[in-house]
């Protein structure tokens, strides 16, 4: 396998050994509760857990480098836009105003800075969780997990196919890129950005038609095998819960319990101790 391809990478780590259902439950639970919370203490705790799990899963930096940088750029752009369009949102949110720099509507306040740190911390825990889930979960296990929690197997299978196509599309992109470069399209860093963009367009068009052809082939094959005729189906990759799964779910329940306690203690989703 080309380990520069983003997608499922087999492994023997404890994270890999969890069933697809367990990883789905953990991913959804922590993502939902982390997204709803604006308690910096809880978000930092989730970040530590998620980053720790990332190291346990032994996901290499080279495998995720491009995606991580894209998310960092997006996160920074998001923080800038929050400040541009709502420079005093933190002040209204926390009910106080402590000016650090400047004056007027765009004065930088401690409350706004604190709020944007909270927003950035949400990326800090969500990205590792997503990387762990995508890179340690076999798409077939994921589909079986979706079906196990009550989602129609037709929907589960469609999601699994979409996940399977992520590495396939990347391989196809690299193949077409090499063909185009062999024909004289210079897409190296030595050429201009505009020339590289034109070369990328020359890759995307054949990639789109190739992908549509693959989708049509898979659809025809599934129709010929009468996929979807029955209401239920069995799964080759279906797995039973093991001791490790129950421990992982127990840890997730503990993290959820901590958030519920903080909600009751704070009286809201927000925590601001600097008033």
């Amino acid at each position: 396998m080309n380990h520069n391809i983003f997608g499922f990478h087999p492994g023997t780590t404890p994270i890999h050994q969890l069933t697809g259902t367990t990883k789905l439950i953990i991913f959804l639970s922590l993502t939902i509760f982390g997204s709803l919370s604006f308690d910096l203490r809880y978000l930092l705790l989730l970040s530590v857990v998620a980053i720790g799990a990332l190291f346990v899963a032994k996901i290499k930096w080279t495998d995720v480098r491009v995606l991580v940088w894209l998310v960092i750029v997006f996160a920074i752009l998001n923080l800038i836009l929050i400040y541009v369009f709502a420079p005093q949102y933190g002040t209204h949110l926390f009910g106080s105003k402590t000016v650090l720099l400047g004056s007027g509507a765009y004065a930088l306040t401690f409350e706004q800075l604190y709020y944007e740190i909270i927003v950035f911390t949400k990326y800090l825990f969500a990205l590792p969780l997503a990387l762990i889930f995508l890179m340690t979960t076999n798409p077939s296990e994921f589909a079986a997990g979706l079906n196990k929690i009550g989602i129609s197997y037709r929907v589960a299978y469609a999601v699994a196919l979409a996940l399977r196509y992520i590495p396939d599309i990347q391989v196809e992109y690299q193949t077409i890129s090499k063909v185009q470069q062999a024909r004289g399209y210079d897409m190296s860093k030595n050429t201009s950005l505009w020339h590289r963009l034109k070369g990328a367009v020359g890759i995307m068009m054949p990639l789109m038609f190739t992908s549509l052809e693959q989708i049509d082939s898979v659809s025809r094959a599934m129709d010929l095998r009468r996929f979807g005729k029955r209401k239920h189906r069995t799964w080759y990759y279906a797995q039973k819960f093991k001791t490790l799964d129950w421990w992982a779910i127990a840890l997730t329940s503990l993290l959820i319990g901590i958030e519920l306690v903080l909600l009751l203690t704070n009286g809201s989703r927000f925590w601001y101790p600097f008033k």
Side-chain angles (χ1 to χ4, degrees):
M1 174 182 286
N2 182 354
H3 286 279
N4 291 321
I5 298 299
F6 180 74
F8 169 62
H9 289 182
T12 58
T13 69
I15 304 294
H16 284 84
Q17 293 174 22
L18 294 172
T19 65
T21 305
T22 300
K23 282 182 274 192
L24 178 62
I25 291 171
I26 294 172
F27 174 69
L28 291 178
S29 300
L30 295 185
T31 300
I32 291 171
F33 276 87
S35 300
L36 292 175
S37 176
F38 283 86
D39 191 319
L40 186 58
R41 300 168 297 177
Y42 183 68
L43 295 176
L44 288 174
L45 174 61
L46 286 186
S47 299
V48 171
V49 171
I51 294 172
L54 196 65
F55 282 101
V56 172
K58 296 182 179 179
I59 295 175
K60 297 179 180 178
W61 168 248
T62 53
D63 297 338
V64 298
R65 177 178 54 196
V66 174
L67 181 63
V68 170
W69 281 116
L70 286 174
V71 172
I72 288 174
V73 171
F74 176 81
I76 293 173
L77 180 61
N78 184 36
L79 295 176
I80 292 172
L81 291 176
I82 288 174
Y83 183 73
V84 169
F85 291 102
Q88 301 300 319
Y89 183 72
T91 300
H92 296 299
L93 195 62
F94 300 116
S96 62
K97 185 173 183 179
T98 308
V99 178
L100 299 176
L101 290 173
S103 60
Y106 282 95
L108 178 61
T109 63
F110 178 80
E111 289 77 10
Q112 182 70 17
L113 186 61
Y114 182 79
Y115 170 71
E116 300 211 4
I117 289 174
I118 290 175
V119 174
F120 182 79
T121 310
K122 288 178 180 286
Y123 288 100
L124 198 61
F125 87 83
L127 179 59
L129 283 179
L131 292 175
I132 292 169
F133 181 72
L134 290 173
M135 301 194 70
T136 66
T137 307
N138 186 309
S140 295
E141 290 180 17
F142 177 48
L146 284 175
N147 188 229
K148 193 170 184 178
I149 64 174
I151 295 175
S152 168
Y153 76 86
R154 299 174 182 84
V155 176
Y157 205 82
V159 175
L161 284 176
L163 290 176
R164 285 188 180 279
Y165 272 122
I166 292 175
D168 290 345
I169 289 174
Q170 292 174 81
V171 171
E172 194 68 32
Y173 177 88
Q174 293 179 1
T175 302
I176 297 172
S177 175
K178 291 176 181 177
V179 171
Q180 295 289 57
Q181 291 178 58
R183 292 174 176 172
Y185 283 90
D186 185 7
M187 298 183 64
S188 66
K189 295 181 179 179
N190 299 325
T191 188
S192 65
L193 177 61
W194 174 248
H195 193 78
R196 276 183 282 169
L197 288 174
K198 288 175 63 178
V201 172
I203 295 173
M204 294 306 295
M205 291 302 293
L207 177 63
M208 182 178 68
F209 287 115
T210 302
S211 300
L212 291 174
E213 183 180 355
Q214 291 178 346
I215 291 170
D216 183 63
S217 298
V218 172
S219 299
R220 290 176 182 273
M222 292 173 69
D223 286 338
L224 288 172
R225 289 165 175 79
R226 301 182 69 82
F227 178 83
K229 178 185 177 181
R230 300 183 183 276
K231 293 182 179 181
H232 304 284
R233 63 159 291 171
T234 57
W235 296 90
Y236 180 78
Y237 278 95
Q239 297 173 307
K240 294 182 178 179
F241 276 24
K242 296 170 288 189
T243 303
L244 186 61
D245 294 282
W246 291 115
W247 277 110
I249 291 176
L251 177 59
T252 304
S253 301
L254 176 62
L255 292 172
I256 293 173
I258 291 173
E259 167 62 3
L260 294 176
V261 170
L262 291 174
L263 285 173
L264 293 174
T265 304
N266 299 335
S268 69
R269 295 183 295 145
F270 303 94
W271 177 70
Y272 185 72
F274 303 106
K275 287 186 179 180

